[in-house]
């Protein structure tokens, strides 16, 4: 918030109130995504003020750090798993756009649910997503290593939601 406060003091913007007034982690992250997009666009970054440009760049890097915490990029571990994922994803209306150009699924950990080895995906980021990702609804089967990684990452998100720790 210190970077955003500094930016708001020299260039008042809507994001200061959005982040300050966020009632929960989900609202905070969605506001941070909008801020990150604006920090890399005309809305904030493309001013003639060097200080605004510099703060926008710092904010963009902070949002990238949040993204690394609240998202996970999953790669199929085998050709058969890739085919299985493609079959499950294709059942969702927006599913054909779910895979990134590198073959991965970039998934929101705030919206995902893991039950045994099945991951229920509710939001993804692909090459055609908006800054807030694309809402979706599909389930994929994970291998043991993927399950272990997801359990660890989802536990971190639960700790943040419970207020036990703050996001980076």
């Amino acid at each position: 918030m210190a970077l955003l406060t500094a930016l708001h003091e020299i260039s008042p913007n809507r994001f200061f109130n959005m982040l300050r007034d966020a009632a929960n982690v989900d609202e905070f992250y969605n506001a941070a995504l909008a801020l990150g997009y604006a920090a890399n666009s005309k809305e904030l970054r493309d001013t003639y003020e060097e200080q605004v440009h510099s703060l926008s760049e710092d904010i963009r890097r902070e949002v990238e750090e949040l993204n690394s915490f609240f998202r996970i990029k999953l790669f199929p571990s085998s050709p058969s798993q890739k085919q299985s994922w493609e079959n499950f994803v294709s059942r969702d209306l927006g599913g054909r756009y779910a895979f990134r150009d590198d073959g991965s699924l970039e998934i929101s950990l705030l919206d995902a649910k893991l039950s045994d080895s099945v991951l229920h995906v509710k939001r993804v980021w692909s090459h055609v997503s908006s800054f807030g990702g694309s809402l979706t609804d599909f389930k994929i089967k994970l291998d043991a290593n993927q399950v272990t990684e997801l359990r660890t990452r989802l536990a971190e998100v639960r700790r943040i939601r419970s207020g036990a720790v703050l996001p980076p």
Side-chain angles (χ1 to χ4, degrees):
M1 276 298 283
L3 289 171
L4 184 55
T5 301
L7 177 64
H8 189 69
E9 287 174 1
I10 59 173
S11 179
N13 60 77
R14 63 190 173 102
F15 303 102
F16 180 81
N17 290 337
M18 287 172 61
L19 283 163
R20 184 194 64 202
D21 297 341
N24 56 47
V25 171
D26 297 74
E27 285 182 17
F28 178 86
Y29 184 56
N30 286 331
L33 289 172
L35 171 62
Y37 179 78
N40 200 30
S41 70
K42 288 181 181 181
E43 187 171 356
L44 293 178
R45 183 186 189 109
D46 293 346
T47 69
Y48 296 104
E49 174 88 33
E50 181 56 36
Q51 194 174 9
V52 170
H53 181 83
S54 176
L55 285 168
S56 292
E57 183 60 23
D58 292 343
I59 287 168
R60 190 192 60 73
R61 282 193 296 272
E62 290 288 325
V63 171
E64 282 301 314
E65 190 173 328
L66 276 177
N67 287 342
S68 70
F69 193 81
F70 290 123
R71 297 183 196 177
I72 189 167
K73 226 177 182 184
L74 293 175
F75 290 90
S77 60
S78 68
S80 63
Q81 187 182 47
K82 181 173 176 39
Q83 185 173 8
S84 170
W85 287 7
E86 287 172 346
N87 288 338
F88 284 113
V89 169
S90 69
R91 296 176 189 163
D92 182 68
L93 292 176
R96 73 180 202 186
Y97 301 112
F99 286 94
R100 298 186 61 82
D101 290 341
D102 62 6
S104 69
L105 290 172
E106 188 169 356
I107 296 167
S108 166
L109 292 169
L110 289 169
D111 305 295
K113 304 272 187 273
L114 183 64
S115 178
D116 297 320
S117 65
V118 176
L119 180 65
H120 190 175
V121 178
K122 300 293 251 171
R123 182 165 44 162
V124 297
W125 281 266
S126 66
H127 65 283
V128 296
S129 297
S130 70
F131 64 85
S134 299
L135 296 179
T136 191
D137 191 6
F138 61 84
K139 296 177 182 178
I140 56 173
K141 186 153 177 51
L142 305 177
D143 68 20
N145 292 333
Q146 293 163 334
V147 168
T148 300
E149 181 179 11
L150 257 294
R151 280 191 182 136
T152 301
R153 297 287 305 278
L154 289 170
E156 292 169 354
V157 170
R158 278 192 305 277
R159 282 195 299 277
I160 287 175
R161 278 196 165 131
S162 73
V165 294
L166 296 174

